PDB file of all heavy atoms in Angstrom:
ATOM      1  N   GLY S 341      -1.237  -5.900 -21.736  1.00 95.00           N
ATOM      2  CA  GLY S 341      -1.618  -7.281 -21.998  1.00 95.00           C
ATOM      3  C   GLY S 341      -1.602  -7.600 -23.474  1.00 95.00           C
ATOM      4  O   GLY S 341      -1.941  -6.767 -24.319  1.00 95.00           O
ATOM      5  N   GLU S 342      -1.186  -8.813 -23.810  1.00 91.00           N
ATOM      6  CA  GLU S 342      -1.198  -9.293 -25.185  1.00 91.00           C
ATOM      7  C   GLU S 342      -2.069 -10.548 -25.244  1.00 91.00           C
ATOM      8  O   GLU S 342      -2.483 -11.073 -24.217  1.00 91.00           O
ATOM      9  CB  GLU S 342       0.235  -9.585 -25.650  1.00 91.00           C
ATOM     10  CG  GLU S 342       1.132  -8.341 -25.587  1.00 91.00           C
ATOM     11  CD  GLU S 342       2.571  -8.621 -26.001  1.00 91.00           C
ATOM     12  OE1 GLU S 342       2.908  -9.808 -26.213  1.00 91.00           O
ATOM     13  OE2 GLU S 342       3.351  -7.667 -26.087  1.00 91.00           O
ATOM     14  N   SER S 343      -2.386 -11.020 -26.400  1.00 79.00           N
ATOM     15  CA  SER S 343      -3.269 -12.174 -26.545  1.00 79.00           C
ATOM     16  C   SER S 343      -2.672 -13.415 -25.880  1.00 79.00           C
ATOM     17  O   SER S 343      -1.445 -13.533 -25.750  1.00 79.00           O
ATOM     18  CB  SER S 343      -3.519 -12.463 -28.032  1.00 79.00           C
ATOM     19  OG  SER S 343      -2.301 -12.748 -28.701  1.00 79.00           O
ATOM     20  N   GLY S 344      -3.543 -14.302 -25.419  1.00 76.00           N
ATOM     21  CA  GLY S 344      -3.085 -15.545 -24.815  1.00 76.00           C
ATOM     22  C   GLY S 344      -2.562 -15.382 -23.405  1.00 76.00           C
ATOM     23  O   GLY S 344      -1.811 -16.241 -22.924  1.00 76.00           O
ATOM     24  N   GLY S 345      -2.936 -14.290 -22.726  1.00 78.00           N
ATOM     25  CA  GLY S 345      -2.481 -14.085 -21.359  1.00 78.00           C
ATOM     26  C   GLY S 345      -1.036 -13.670 -21.241  1.00 78.00           C
ATOM     27  O   GLY S 345      -0.447 -13.750 -20.160  1.00 78.00           O
ATOM     28  N   LYS S 346      -0.436 -13.193 -22.327  1.00 87.00           N
ATOM     29  CA  LYS S 346       0.948 -12.716 -22.306  1.00 87.00           C
ATOM     30  C   LYS S 346       0.981 -11.214 -22.023  1.00 87.00           C
ATOM     31  O   LYS S 346      -0.018 -10.506 -22.151  1.00 87.00           O
ATOM     32  CB  LYS S 346       1.631 -13.006 -23.646  1.00 87.00           C
ATOM     33  CG  LYS S 346       1.625 -14.472 -24.067  1.00 87.00           C
ATOM     34  CD  LYS S 346       2.486 -15.303 -23.146  1.00 87.00           C
ATOM     35  CE  LYS S 346       2.562 -16.742 -23.637  1.00 87.00           C
ATOM     36  NZ  LYS S 346       3.396 -17.595 -22.755  1.00 87.00           N
ATOM     37  N   PHE S 347       2.177 -10.729 -21.655  1.00 94.00           N
ATOM     38  CA  PHE S 347       2.345  -9.312 -21.350  1.00 94.00           C
ATOM     39  C   PHE S 347       3.584  -8.757 -22.041  1.00 94.00           C
ATOM     40  O   PHE S 347       4.570  -9.474 -22.250  1.00 94.00           O
ATOM     41  CB  PHE S 347       2.470  -9.107 -19.834  1.00 94.00           C
ATOM     42  CG  PHE S 347       1.250  -9.544 -19.076  1.00 94.00           C
ATOM     43  CD1 PHE S 347       1.180 -10.822 -18.544  1.00 94.00           C
ATOM     44  CD2 PHE S 347       0.161  -8.707 -18.929  1.00 94.00           C
ATOM     45  CE1 PHE S 347       0.058 -11.248 -17.863  1.00 94.00           C
ATOM     46  CE2 PHE S 347      -0.972  -9.116 -18.256  1.00 94.00           C
ATOM     47  CZ  PHE S 347      -1.023 -10.391 -17.721  1.00 94.00           C
ATOM     48  N   ALA S 348       3.516  -7.484 -22.390  1.00 96.00           N
ATOM     49  CA  ALA S 348       4.667  -6.827 -23.009  1.00 96.00           C
ATOM     50  C   ALA S 348       5.870  -6.907 -22.080  1.00 96.00           C
ATOM     51  O   ALA S 348       5.737  -6.819 -20.856  1.00 96.00           O
ATOM     52  CB  ALA S 348       4.331  -5.376 -23.325  1.00 96.00           C
ATOM     53  N   ALA S 349       7.044  -7.067 -22.654  1.00 95.00           N
ATOM     54  CA  ALA S 349       8.256  -7.203 -21.851  1.00 95.00           C
ATOM     55  C   ALA S 349       8.666  -5.883 -21.215  1.00 95.00           C
ATOM     56  O   ALA S 349       9.262  -5.864 -20.136  1.00 95.00           O
ATOM     57  CB  ALA S 349       9.387  -7.744 -22.719  1.00 95.00           C
ATOM     58  N   GLN S 350       8.344  -4.767 -21.871  1.00 96.00           N
ATOM     59  CA  GLN S 350       8.732  -3.451 -21.381  1.00 96.00           C
ATOM     60  C   GLN S 350       7.506  -2.728 -20.833  1.00 96.00           C
ATOM     61  O   GLN S 350       6.428  -2.769 -21.421  1.00 96.00           O
ATOM     62  CB  GLN S 350       9.364  -2.625 -22.505  1.00 96.00           C
ATOM     63  CG  GLN S 350      10.661  -3.200 -23.037  1.00 96.00           C
ATOM     64  CD  GLN S 350      11.774  -3.144 -21.997  1.00 96.00           C
ATOM     65  OE1 GLN S 350      11.917  -2.160 -21.276  1.00 96.00           O
ATOM     66  NE2 GLN S 350      12.575  -4.204 -21.919  1.00 96.00           N
ATOM     67  N   ASN S 351       7.689  -2.067 -19.736  1.00 97.00           N
ATOM     68  CA  ASN S 351       6.592  -1.325 -19.123  1.00 97.00           C
ATOM     69  C   ASN S 351       6.533   0.116 -19.600  1.00 97.00           C
ATOM     70  O   ASN S 351       7.520   0.691 -20.071  1.00 97.00           O
ATOM     71  CB  ASN S 351       6.725  -1.335 -17.599  1.00 97.00           C
ATOM     72  CG  ASN S 351       8.008  -0.676 -17.106  1.00 97.00           C
ATOM     73  OD1 ASN S 351       9.054  -1.314 -17.077  1.00 97.00           O
ATOM     74  ND2 ASN S 351       7.925   0.595 -16.724  1.00 97.00           N
ATOM     75  N   THR S 352       5.364   0.697 -19.495  1.00 97.00           N
ATOM     76  CA  THR S 352       5.175   2.138 -19.631  1.00 97.00           C
ATOM     77  C   THR S 352       4.739   2.646 -18.251  1.00 97.00           C
ATOM     78  O   THR S 352       4.771   1.905 -17.263  1.00 97.00           O
ATOM     79  CB  THR S 352       4.114   2.461 -20.691  1.00 97.00           C
ATOM     80  OG1 THR S 352       2.886   1.821 -20.332  1.00 97.00           O
ATOM     81  CG2 THR S 352       4.559   1.963 -22.063  1.00 97.00           C
ATOM     82  N   TRP S 353       4.341   3.932 -18.184  1.00 98.00           N
ATOM     83  CA  TRP S 353       3.951   4.521 -16.900  1.00 98.00           C
ATOM     84  C   TRP S 353       2.618   5.246 -17.031  1.00 98.00           C
ATOM     85  O   TRP S 353       2.323   5.825 -18.089  1.00 98.00           O
ATOM     86  CB  TRP S 353       5.017   5.501 -16.409  1.00 98.00           C
ATOM     87  CG  TRP S 353       6.330   4.843 -16.154  1.00 98.00           C
ATOM     88  CD1 TRP S 353       7.345   4.637 -17.042  1.00 98.00           C
ATOM     89  CD2 TRP S 353       6.744   4.239 -14.925  1.00 98.00           C
ATOM     90  NE1 TRP S 353       8.366   3.959 -16.448  1.00 98.00           N
ATOM     91  CE2 TRP S 353       8.043   3.706 -15.148  1.00 98.00           C
ATOM     92  CE3 TRP S 353       6.165   4.122 -13.660  1.00 98.00           C
ATOM     93  CZ2 TRP S 353       8.751   3.054 -14.147  1.00 98.00           C
ATOM     94  CZ3 TRP S 353       6.868   3.472 -12.663  1.00 98.00           C
ATOM     95  CH2 TRP S 353       8.145   2.947 -12.906  1.00 98.00           C
ATOM     96  N   LEU S 354       1.831   5.221 -15.975  1.00 98.00           N
ATOM     97  CA  LEU S 354       0.643   6.063 -15.932  1.00 98.00           C
ATOM     98  C   LEU S 354       1.096   7.495 -15.664  1.00 98.00           C
ATOM     99  O   LEU S 354       1.780   7.758 -14.663  1.00 98.00           O
ATOM    100  CB  LEU S 354      -0.317   5.593 -14.840  1.00 98.00           C
ATOM    101  CG  LEU S 354      -0.956   4.219 -15.041  1.00 98.00           C
ATOM    102  CD1 LEU S 354      -1.993   3.958 -13.949  1.00 98.00           C
ATOM    103  CD2 LEU S 354      -1.594   4.091 -16.417  1.00 98.00           C
ATOM    104  N   GLU S 355       0.692   8.417 -16.553  1.00 97.00           N
ATOM    105  CA  GLU S 355       1.184   9.789 -16.471  1.00 97.00           C
ATOM    106  C   GLU S 355       0.032  10.783 -16.678  1.00 97.00           C
ATOM    107  O   GLU S 355      -1.009  10.455 -17.248  1.00 97.00           O
ATOM    108  CB  GLU S 355       2.254  10.044 -17.527  1.00 97.00           C
ATOM    109  CG  GLU S 355       3.514   9.203 -17.342  1.00 97.00           C
ATOM    110  CD  GLU S 355       4.563   9.483 -18.405  1.00 97.00           C
ATOM    111  OE1 GLU S 355       4.168   9.880 -19.525  1.00 97.00           O
ATOM    112  OE2 GLU S 355       5.754   9.325 -18.121  1.00 97.00           O
ATOM    113  N   ARG S 356       0.292  11.999 -16.248  1.00 97.00           N
ATOM    114  CA  ARG S 356      -0.595  13.133 -16.509  1.00 97.00           C
ATOM    115  C   ARG S 356       0.281  14.313 -16.892  1.00 97.00           C
ATOM    116  O   ARG S 356       1.176  14.704 -16.130  1.00 97.00           O
ATOM    117  CB  ARG S 356      -1.432  13.472 -15.267  1.00 97.00           C
ATOM    118  CG  ARG S 356      -2.362  14.675 -15.453  1.00 97.00           C
ATOM    119  CD  ARG S 356      -3.219  14.887 -14.209  1.00 97.00           C
ATOM    120  NE  ARG S 356      -4.178  15.956 -14.405  1.00 97.00           N
ATOM    121  CZ  ARG S 356      -3.953  17.239 -14.119  1.00 97.00           C
ATOM    122  NH1 ARG S 356      -2.767  17.592 -13.596  1.00 97.00           N
ATOM    123  NH2 ARG S 356      -4.875  18.159 -14.341  1.00 97.00           N
ATOM    124  N   ASP S 357       0.046  14.840 -18.070  1.00 95.00           N
ATOM    125  CA  ASP S 357       0.845  15.970 -18.582  1.00 95.00           C
ATOM    126  C   ASP S 357       2.334  15.657 -18.542  1.00 95.00           C
ATOM    127  O   ASP S 357       3.166  16.520 -18.201  1.00 95.00           O
ATOM    128  CB  ASP S 357       0.557  17.245 -17.774  1.00 95.00           C
ATOM    129  CG  ASP S 357      -0.879  17.716 -17.919  1.00 95.00           C
ATOM    130  OD1 ASP S 357      -1.504  17.418 -18.962  1.00 95.00           O
ATOM    131  OD2 ASP S 357      -1.387  18.376 -16.995  1.00 95.00           O
ATOM    132  N   GLY S 358       2.696  14.419 -18.871  1.00 95.00           N
ATOM    133  CA  GLY S 358       4.101  14.039 -18.954  1.00 95.00           C
ATOM    134  C   GLY S 358       4.755  13.700 -17.637  1.00 95.00           C
ATOM    135  O   GLY S 358       5.936  13.325 -17.609  1.00 95.00           O
ATOM    136  N   GLU S 359       4.020  13.796 -16.533  1.00 96.00           N
ATOM    137  CA  GLU S 359       4.561  13.473 -15.224  1.00 96.00           C
ATOM    138  C   GLU S 359       3.844  12.249 -14.673  1.00 96.00           C
ATOM    139  O   GLU S 359       2.642  12.072 -14.885  1.00 96.00           O
ATOM    140  CB  GLU S 359       4.397  14.650 -14.256  1.00 96.00           C
ATOM    141  CG  GLU S 359       5.228  15.859 -14.614  1.00 96.00           C
ATOM    142  CD  GLU S 359       6.718  15.569 -14.576  1.00 96.00           C
ATOM    143  OE1 GLU S 359       7.149  14.815 -13.677  1.00 96.00           O
ATOM    144  OE2 GLU S 359       7.448  16.084 -15.437  1.00 96.00           O
ATOM    145  N   PRO S 360       4.560  11.383 -13.934  1.00 97.00           N
ATOM    146  CA  PRO S 360       3.934  10.154 -13.453  1.00 97.00           C
ATOM    147  C   PRO S 360       2.881  10.417 -12.383  1.00 97.00           C
ATOM    148  O   PRO S 360       3.065  11.304 -11.527  1.00 97.00           O
ATOM    149  CB  PRO S 360       5.118   9.366 -12.873  1.00 97.00           C
ATOM    150  CG  PRO S 360       6.114  10.419 -12.484  1.00 97.00           C
ATOM    151  CD  PRO S 360       5.979  11.498 -13.521  1.00 97.00           C
ATOM    152  N   LEU S 361       1.799   9.673 -12.436  1.00 98.00           N
ATOM    153  CA  LEU S 361       0.864   9.679 -11.320  1.00 98.00           C
ATOM    154  C   LEU S 361       1.594   9.114 -10.108  1.00 98.00           C
ATOM    155  O   LEU S 361       2.370   8.164 -10.226  1.00 98.00           O
ATOM    156  CB  LEU S 361      -0.356   8.815 -11.631  1.00 98.00           C
ATOM    157  CG  LEU S 361      -1.153   9.105 -12.910  1.00 98.00           C
ATOM    158  CD1 LEU S 361      -2.396   8.224 -12.941  1.00 98.00           C
ATOM    159  CD2 LEU S 361      -1.522  10.570 -13.014  1.00 98.00           C
ATOM    160  N   SER S 362       1.342   9.666  -8.945  1.00 97.00           N
ATOM    161  CA  SER S 362       2.063   9.165  -7.776  1.00 97.00           C
ATOM    162  C   SER S 362       1.285   9.422  -6.498  1.00 97.00           C
ATOM    163  O   SER S 362       0.448  10.325  -6.419  1.00 97.00           O
ATOM    164  CB  SER S 362       3.448   9.826  -7.666  1.00 97.00           C
ATOM    165  OG  SER S 362       3.323  11.200  -7.392  1.00 97.00           O
ATOM    166  N   VAL S 363       1.575   8.585  -5.492  1.00 97.00           N
ATOM    167  CA  VAL S 363       1.093   8.761  -4.130  1.00 97.00           C
ATOM    168  C   VAL S 363       2.320   8.819  -3.227  1.00 97.00           C
ATOM    169  O   VAL S 363       3.424   8.507  -3.663  1.00 97.00           O
ATOM    170  CB  VAL S 363       0.161   7.603  -3.714  1.00 97.00           C
ATOM    171  CG1 VAL S 363      -1.089   7.591  -4.589  1.00 97.00           C
ATOM    172  CG2 VAL S 363       0.879   6.260  -3.780  1.00 97.00           C
ATOM    173  N   PRO S 364       2.150   9.215  -1.959  1.00 93.00           N
ATOM    174  CA  PRO S 364       3.314   9.353  -1.071  1.00 93.00           C
ATOM    175  C   PRO S 364       3.889   8.005  -0.625  1.00 93.00           C
ATOM    176  O   PRO S 364       3.679   7.560   0.487  1.00 93.00           O
ATOM    177  CB  PRO S 364       2.754  10.133   0.127  1.00 93.00           C
ATOM    178  CG  PRO S 364       1.505  10.765  -0.350  1.00 93.00           C
ATOM    179  CD  PRO S 364       0.940   9.799  -1.344  1.00 93.00           C
ATOM    180  N   ALA S 365       4.590   7.348  -1.526  1.00 90.00           N
ATOM    181  CA  ALA S 365       5.323   6.097  -1.254  1.00 90.00           C
ATOM    182  C   ALA S 365       4.421   4.876  -1.237  1.00 90.00           C
ATOM    183  O   ALA S 365       3.279   4.926  -0.793  1.00 90.00           O
ATOM    184  CB  ALA S 365       6.095   6.180   0.059  1.00 90.00           C
TER     185      ALA S 365
END
Side-chain angles (χ1 to χ4, degrees):
E342 300 178 353
S343 60
K346 303 293 184 180
F347 298 94
Q350 296 293 319
N351 61 277
T352 58
W353 297 88
L354 294 186
E355 296 180 332
R356 179 176 184 269
D357 296 333
E359 293 298 322
L361 305 186
S362 67
V363 297

